[in-house]
Amino acid sequence: MLELKNICFEINGKKILNNINLCIEDKSLIAFTGPNGSGKSTLMKIIMGIETPTTGEVYWNGRNITKLSIDERAKLGIAFAFQSPISFKGLTVADMLSLATGKKLNFCEVCDCLASVGLCAKDYANREIDGALSGGESKRIEIASVLARKWQCVIFDEPEAGIDLWSFGKLIEVFKDLHTNNNGIMLIVSHQEKLLDIADKIIILGNGEIIKIGDKGDLLGQVFGVQRECKKGIGEENNG
């Protein structure tokens, strides 16, 4: 179980998060959405330990982990996929996947990891994780490395960024399978309706605060209702 108590975060006197309180049970897939700058990514970084809250506490399975480092949280089973993946010149894709799993992977195991995100091991296993990879390729490789780990809580910050439509559809299926076959917590930051639609609950943030929490059936219409009505109106005009 993941619990956030009175989380606040400020930078140079500017409040980014204001009194966030959440309790997330195991085997939950929670989607966070809201306008740009609402504090979604910052909240995820606080959970991972990349940022430290100005005030408030983070609890993991009843343990206060607020002051634990990223490495210490990773050892507890918390994993993070960045919105913009980091390059590692000199490190191959196969090496990175082996590091993520904690053991030397054979080619078939590397192939399975990469296939889950729509990449062929023959093309990518020996490539370096550097600037030669496209943004979408780097993103998919990072997601594969996260999925390869033994995680109890996994955070995806806008996993759709830079991914083509075919791979995006494949990724949704991967997330569905992970949610069905694991007892851990999945947290996804996204603006994409298809990703929000697979969540158990949706949390809407705005101006650093939780605006609403609810089931996808209750909130999807509120998040995308205006867009749907606009598209419907345009279609009616064209038909007329």
Side-chain angles (χ1 to χ4, degrees):
M1 183 173 73
L2 176 67
E3 191 172 3
L4 308 178
K5 294 185 178 181
N6 306 312
I7 296 293
C8 296
F9 184 76
E10 296 183 5
I11 296 179
N12 298 325
K14 181 180 179 181
K15 190 163 287 187
I16 308 299
L17 293 172
N18 183 31
N19 200 38
I20 300 292
N21 288 280
L22 278 175
C23 186
I24 300 174
E25 300 288 341
D26 292 343
K27 204 170 177 56
S28 297
L29 197 170
I30 309 297
F32 292 78
T33 193
N36 292 334
S38 58
K40 305 181 298 296
S41 293
T42 300
L43 184 59
M44 298 303 107
K45 289 176 181 177
I46 285 175
I47 294 171
M48 189 67 236
I50 299 167
E51 300 283 4
T52 302
T54 305
T55 58
E57 297 173 322
V58 180
Y59 286 83
W60 175 243
N61 291 330
R63 177 182 176 182
N64 189 335
I65 64 169
T66 311
K67 296 182 179 180
L68 294 189
S69 67
I70 298 172
D71 288 345
E72 289 171 318
R73 297 186 199 208
K75 290 176 182 177
L76 294 177
I78 303 175
F80 192 102
F82 289 89
Q83 183 176 342
S84 298
I86 301 170
S87 296
F88 297 94
K89 187 173 177 60
L91 184 70
T92 68
V93 172
D95 289 339
M96 182 174 180
L97 293 173
S98 293
L99 286 172
T101 58
K103 66 174 185 177
K104 181 66 175 178
L105 299 181
N106 60 41
F107 184 81
C108 289
E109 291 170 324
V110 171
C111 185
D112 289 341
C113 290
L114 293 177
S116 69
V117 292
L119 296 178
C120 177
K122 290 182 179 179
D123 297 328
Y124 289 93
N126 294 318
R127 289 188 64 176
E128 291 187 8
I129 303 172
D130 55 18
L133 292 169
S134 70
E137 289 170 330
S138 297
K139 184 75 173 182
R140 283 186 277 175
I141 290 166
E142 182 186 41
I143 291 172
S145 70
V146 170
L147 297 181
R149 291 188 54 196
K150 292 182 179 179
W151 54 270
Q152 295 183 43
C153 175
V154 61
I155 302 166
F156 295 99
D157 190 2
E158 296 195 24
E160 70 273 17
I163 293 183
D164 59 84
L165 289 176
W166 183 88
S167 296
F168 179 58
K170 180 79 173 176
L171 193 63
I172 290 174
E173 293 304 315
V174 170
F175 286 164
K176 285 181 179 178
D177 290 342
L178 284 172
H179 182 37
T180 301
N181 299 316
N182 290 273
N183 293 320
I185 293 171
M186 294 180 64
L187 307 178
I188 300 177
V189 174
S190 181
H191 299 286
Q192 287 288 335
E193 182 174 1
K194 289 183 178 180
L195 275 174
L196 300 186
D197 190 46
I198 67 174
D200 299 316
K201 289 188 180 296
I202 296 173
I203 297 176
I204 303 175
L205 270 67
N207 296 319
E209 299 181 346
I210 294 175
I211 305 301
K212 288 184 179 179
I213 302 176
D215 295 333
K216 62 183 179 182
D218 299 327
L219 294 190
L220 267 180
Q222 296 180 41
V223 175
F224 295 99
V226 174
Q227 295 179 22
R228 287 170 177 162
E229 288 302 313
C230 288
K231 290 179 180 178
K232 181 180 178 182
I234 292 171
E236 289 173 349
E237 288 177 5
N238 291 337
N239 290 334

